[in-house]
Amino acid sequence: MFTTRARAVGVAAAMTVMTAACGAAPGAQSSQASQGGVNAAAATSAADFGGFDKLVEAAKKEGNLHVIALPPDWANYGEIIQKFQEKYGIKIESETPDAASADEINAVKTRKGQDRAPDVLDLGQSFAISGAGEGLFAPYKVQAFDKIPEGQKEASGLWVNDYGGYISIGCDAKKITTCPTSFADLLKPEYKGKVALNGNPTKAGSAFAGVYAAALASGGSFDDIDPGIQFFKKLKDAGNYNPVETTPATIERGETQISIDWDYNNAAYAPQMAAKGLDWKVNIPTDGKYFQMYAQAINKDAPHPAAARLWQEYLYSPEGQNLYLKGFARPVLLPSMTADGTVDKTLADKLPSVEGEPTFPTTAQVDAAKAKLASGWDAAISG
């Protein structure tokens, strides 16, 4: 996802398998594409398998699912993976959890025909759109497809938004006397060397969003990310910018005492850090509210095409959506689940509060911002 997701190794124990599968000869997935006369790789809905139960049967026959870039403590993926394995008896091979969206797309391209190719992808919006444009994904409509709001999905199901959050400012209140509540605060001299991002914004979705939010806070707009780039240049020139990438480990060691990251990441850090004697506070900046959702997609050449489709069904089920909610992420089906009573209200009430409805940049605006950032970030930070 336009995202770097490095996380503490210790948490990875929640995942049953953390391994890079061995390569297979080109065409290895073709033997798995047909299940009981059904071409799983061409299926665009559970109905193509003869119904959901038949999809489950086909996925169990494949027995495996290969994923990358899913840290166990990002949006509660550790538990999501564990519950899926327990429910269906399908082993998930989870490789390189700290990979970025660019790495996911690269793996799809370079591992085509290998069993170590990713079956499914969890991507930032710009990568989902560009990957679909390159013909890398398979169209698939989950059973809940019609409940997903317009604008949050590609019409044929090449990509579908799943969960999201707001950019927030996390702060170690044990080490910082007054935690910042705005981007303007971050320029104050008391935060010298303390303000970090979750990755490089030219590769990492959370960091990209951090720059976009800074632009909105500094007179910019969805059409103009440059004020955000200039904000970080000011932050760097003031000595406040910390180039260390935020992870639970860097927070615990005191290396990243203030972190600009998704609210679901910062909120999830709080209980982890409380157990280690830290007081991690989370504020959604008052001067730069930026919300983004992440998208799911299926590799067109997935080595386990039925399991890939069952994984999608699970993520968009009430169980899967509530598991995202448990990780403080805002699931795409939250409105419909609130209406039909399937949402876990206790979990929903724990989300960081935000006033107003989120607004979203268009695809063209994101592409233009991405291009501007690619050409201007390094010069601003290293210059």
Side-chain angles (χ1 to χ4, degrees), residues 92-160:
I92 293 182
E93 298 169 322
S94 181
E95 178 189 347
T96 323
D98 60 346
S101 284
D103 300 317
E104 294 184 73
I105 294 295
N106 185 58
V108 169
K109 293 177 178 178
T110 61
R111 300 180 184 183
K112 183 176 181 178
Q114 300 179 21
D115 63 4
R116 61 193 294 262
D119 288 301
V120 289
L121 300 105
D122 182 91
L123 300 159
Q125 195 81 95
S126 62
F127 280 96
I129 293 168
S130 63
E134 292 182 72
L136 301 179
F137 309 147
Y140 186 79
K141 294 183 178 181
V142 294
Q143 295 177 106
F145 190 82
D146 290 342
K147 297 180 181 179
I148 296 166
E150 293 302 319
Q152 304 298 332
K153 58 191 176 185
E154 192 276 332
S156 68
L158 288 174
W159 58 262
V160 183

